[in-house]
Amino acid sequence: MLCTFIGRYLPWLACLVSVVFAGKMKIVEEPNTFGLNNPLLAQSNQLRARVSPSPVSGPPHLARLAGKCFSYTEAMYKFDFCPFHNVTQHEQSFRWNAYSGILGIWQEWEIQNNTFIAMWMREGDSCGNKNRQSKVLLTCGNSSRLVRVSEPQTCLYLLVFETPLVCHAHSLLVYPVLSERLRKEWDEIEQNRYEDLITEQGYNKMLRGLFEEAGFLKLAEQPQRQEEQSQSPKHQSLDQCKEDFEKQHLEIERLRSLLTQHNISYSVETERPNTPVTPQPLVQQNRHLRGDPGIIPNL
């Protein structure tokens, strides 16, 4: 009896066991698609820049760095510096929420004492109530490589980039890169400063405007003109328009009364006279202004 039961149901049990184990093997063998080098990341999780990078500017010989990227890895983080483009950070782990973000987008140069000091990458990913930004210092080296990354302040990153392109003593000077016209303008600014014709604040403002025109600095946002800020709002209704008109009429009457009290004459020309005005002939002796003897004829 037992043998008959086993013989009848054994094939079914073997089939069930094979299905169960096959299912487990399928789960185990599924590839890990989280974290590092995940090809199945949603499009919404990919890096997206807030703004476009500024045009390539500065010393012409540094333009050959455009289109290249240089990596630096520290602990679990990989930093990519792409001159004249952006700076990014990628966490090298298999965590499902491994961090990847933009630490700054190329914006402008930092200039001091006629020298390009550093490259500023701004408008990176959000960091609290501000955006991440990076300052890239250029130093002399045997090869072009990113050698150090630090975060001296929260959301502000400091990168050190070595390259033989800046080893020459004059490789980062600003004046030789300017056009002839801008060099002449800079000469005039320096001369005016030497002769105390402009203040230090005016000197710095004029110099910044010159660098902005050259494309080395990003154009500062112009403040809204005061007259536009103080411009009265448009009338929303006819009643509001009438009310404002009455207020202006009362103010005019008050000013007229004030002028009358102080015996100050005034006139209001409401319409042009219909009768033509006949021009009066000029008197010969009053033709010249006081103190102007005119041309004295030879007698």
Side-chain angles (χ1 to χ4, degrees):
M1 183 81 180
L2 180 60
C3 294
T4 303
F5 175 82
I6 294 176
R8 180 180 298 180
Y9 293 100
L10 183 58
W12 294 98
L13 291 174
C15 182
L16 179 62
V17 171
S18 63
V19 170
V20 172
F21 279 99
K24 288 184 178 180
M25 290 299 293
K26 182 179 180 180
I27 295 175
V28 172
E29 290 177 353
E30 283 185 347
N32 186 345
T33 58
F34 300 104
L36 180 64
N37 299 327
N38 178 7
L40 301 180
L41 281 176
Q43 294 294 327
S44 59
N45 293 333
Q46 295 182 356
L47 301 183
R48 294 185 179 180
R50 299 169 54 88
V51 297
S52 299
S54 299
V56 177
S57 65
H61 57 276
L62 294 184
R64 67 184 67 179
L65 296 175
K68 300 179 181 179
C69 294
F70 304 87
S71 300
Y72 173 80
T73 302
E74 181 176 352
M76 297 177 57
Y77 294 96
K78 177 185 177 184
F79 300 89
D80 290 322
F81 167 53
C82 303
F84 305 106
H85 193 63
N86 61 27
V87 175
T88 58
Q89 178 184 3
H90 307 276
E91 182 180 348
Q92 304 292 283
S93 71
F94 290 94
R95 297 191 306 118
W96 69 271
N97 60 344
Y99 173 78
S100 290
I102 299 177
L103 305 186
I105 301 169
W106 161 241
Q107 296 289 294
E108 60 182 355
W109 286 95
E110 179 176 329
I111 300 176
Q112 296 179 8
N113 299 326
N114 188 27
T115 305
F116 293 103
I117 299 297
M119 303 177 69
W120 273 104
M121 309 285 189
R122 308 184 192 273
E123 298 297 332
D125 290 344
S126 299
C127 183
N129 58 352
K130 55 185 177 181
N131 299 112
R132 303 179 190 273
Q133 57 180 341
S134 299
K135 179 179 180 179
V136 184
L137 300 176
L138 304 179
T139 61
C140 176
N142 296 328
S143 61
S144 296
R145 62 193 186 101
L146 189 61
V147 296
R148 189 165 62 253
V149 178
S150 60
E151 189 176 3
Q153 300 179 18
T154 303
C155 306
L156 173 61
Y157 303 85
L158 180 63
L159 287 72
V160 179
F161 179 71
E162 288 185 356
T163 176
L165 298 176
V166 300
C167 290
H168 192 277
H170 299 161
S171 59
L172 291 176
L173 292 182
V174 178
Y175 188 86
V177 182
L178 295 171
S179 64
E180 183 178 358
R181 179 180 63 82
L182 292 180
R183 287 200 298 267
K184 290 182 179 180
E185 289 187 14
W186 196 349
D187 293 339
E188 294 177 0
I189 294 174
E190 294 292 345
Q191 184 66 27
N192 292 335
R193 182 192 186 190
Y194 175 77
E195 297 177 357
D196 291 333
L197 299 179
I198 55 176
T199 63
E200 189 69 19
Q201 181 179 2
Y203 168 80
N204 293 329
K205 183 176 180 180
M206 295 176 68
L207 210 56
R208 177 176 178 85
L210 188 145
F211 294 153
E212 288 179 351
E213 185 176 354
F216 304 153
L217 301 180
K218 189 176 179 62
L219 292 175
E221 295 183 1
Q222 298 295 331
Q224 189 177 14
R225 293 184 302 177
Q226 186 175 1
E227 57 267 22
E228 293 179 354
Q229 296 177 352
S230 59
Q231 187 178 9
S232 58
K234 296 181 179 180
H235 297 116
Q236 301 297 329
S237 63
L238 181 60
D239 293 337
Q240 184 180 359
C241 180
K242 291 181 179 179
E243 182 180 352
D244 290 343
F245 176 79
E246 291 296 333
K247 290 181 180 179
Q248 294 179 6
H249 179 72
L250 293 176
E251 179 64 17
I252 293 174
E253 292 298 329
R254 185 185 69 82
L255 294 176
R256 286 179 178 177
S257 176
L258 186 62
L259 292 174
T260 303
Q261 292 177 7
H262 292 80
N263 295 324
I264 300 176
S265 61
Y266 67 91
S267 62
V268 180
E269 184 180 353
T270 57
E271 58 182 5
R272 295 182 179 180
N274 295 327
T275 57
V277 179
T278 304
Q280 299 295 329
L282 296 176
V283 182
Q284 181 70 22
Q285 60 269 24
N286 294 333
R287 184 174 60 182
H288 302 298
L289 298 176
R290 180 178 299 178
D292 180 13
I295 300 177
I296 301 177
N298 296 326
L299 299 177

